[in-house]
Amino acid sequence: MQLAMIGLGRMGGNMVRRLMRDGHQCVVYDRSDEAIHAFEAEGATGARTLQEVVEKLDPPRHIWIMVPAGQPVDDTIAGVTPYMSQGDTIIDGGNSKWTETKRRAAELEQQGFNMLDAGTSGGIWGLQVGYCLMVGGKDEVFQRAEPIFASLAPPDGYLHTGPSGAGHYVKMVHNGIEYGLLQAYGEGFEILHEGEYGPQLDLRRIAHLWNQGSVVRSWLLELAERAFESDSELRHIAPWVEDSGEGRWTVQDAIDHSVPAPVITLSLLQRFVSRDEDNFSAKVIAALRNEFGGHAVKKA
């Protein structure tokens, strides 16, 4: 089917490639004209303005927004809606806060437009293995857009989670869990690194070992093995772990609903600690975030 992608960064760009590989016709837009040229060379249709994005699609349109959460989403929606037709759909695939998504969906509905929120996980590996998609919005709107999700996701890798906001809400909690998992791996490897046998232990080989049938095996451990293989001491990474918002929102929602979430909460607070102390666990977490999501690391 036909759709537009606004935002050709490390996620949006690879999503376009995966969609085109499955036969979809993609109109692409980015603030970087160089990025647009690159995807035109790969077979996409470039648009130089948001008006062109809309004009190069046949109604009913599907316009996927892959830009940073917050004001950039509002600005992009405001930029495309004057040219849209009733029944067109905007899909927000970024990490927007679910409360903002509910507001945007209601505002778009008043104008005769549809909205789907697609919480997207997969990072820089999505092109190769597919993206896990958590989709909120009206069922009939989801069904019309389903071929897009089916192409982006691996088998059983997408789900209509509920009404508007539900996709971003589920993705928020997903990322809160991610905080806890990363913290546990970071602390474990720091104990190995600093403990009794630290100088004698090969952390890359241990990460590989634990993936061979142990109860803590995971994709994150595979990525830890990759990180340790390139730099066993992670000397090139500063112990600074960024938080992009979802962990804070998860903790706040837990507080609002009186749900005890000590692991996720402390994992968030440890990210703040990482910015003041030189600790190895923070280096491990920063390295893993770079491996799975291409998140920037501060150089030591």
Side-chain angles (χ1 to χ4, degrees), residues 4-17 20 26-40 44-47 64-68:
M5 179 68 70
I6 297 176
L8 301 173
R10 61 176 179 263
M11 291 281 281
N14 278 342
M15 294 170 80
V16 169
R17 292 186 175 100
M20 291 195 301
C26 293
V27 175
V28 297
Y29 172 82
D30 193 270
R31 290 183 300 176
S32 166
D33 197 55
E34 183 179 346
I36 298 173
H37 276 301
F39 280 91
E40 285 177 326
T45 300
W64 191 299
I65 297 175
M66 208 67 184
V67 301

Side-chain angles (χ1 to χ4, degrees), residues 161-231:
T161 57
S164 293
H168 281 153
Y169 183 83
V170 173
K171 178 58 163 50
M172 175 190 75
V173 177
H174 164 283
N175 283 21
I177 293 169
E178 176 191 302
Y179 276 47
L181 291 172
L182 290 173
Q183 186 64 34
Y185 282 127
E187 291 177 8
F189 280 108
E190 181 169 24
I191 294 169
L192 293 174
H193 185 263
E194 303 294 336
E196 179 75 18
Y197 298 98
Q200 305 169 52
L201 298 178
D202 186 328
L203 300 185
R204 184 199 66 79
R205 295 184 68 186
I206 290 171
H208 178 80
L209 170 69
W210 284 349
N211 260 332
Q212 313 311 309
S214 90
V215 296
V216 297
R217 64 188 182 275
S218 73
W219 181 50
L220 288 175
L221 270 179
E222 294 176 18
L223 297 178
E225 181 182 354
R226 283 172 51 94
F228 289 131
E229 185 172 23
S230 62
D231 181 358

Side-chain angles (χ1 to χ4, degrees), residues 102-156:
K102 288 181 66 176
R103 176 204 24 107
R104 292 174 183 134
E107 291 171 353
L108 286 168
E109 185 174 11
Q110 289 178 352
Q111 301 174 67
F113 308 134
N114 304 308
M115 184 173 187
L116 295 172
D117 47 291
T120 305
S121 182
I124 57 177
W125 294 85
L127 174 61
Q128 178 182 342
V129 301
Y131 299 89
C132 179
L133 300 168
M134 298 142 263
V135 187
K138 292 183 177 179
D139 185 61
E140 61 272 20
V141 180
F142 167 79
Q143 289 182 25
R144 284 198 298 271
E146 191 167 6
I148 299 171
F149 307 128
S151 292
L152 288 172
D156 295 326

Side-chain angles (χ1 to χ4, degrees), residues 81 217 240 243 288:
T81 49
R217 64 188 182 275
W240 175 286
D243 70 289
L288 288 176

Side-chain angles (χ1 to χ4, degrees), residues 250-251 253-265:
T250 304
V251 170
D253 196 68
I255 293 170
D256 291 345
H257 293 88
S258 301
V259 176
V263 172
I264 295 174
T265 302

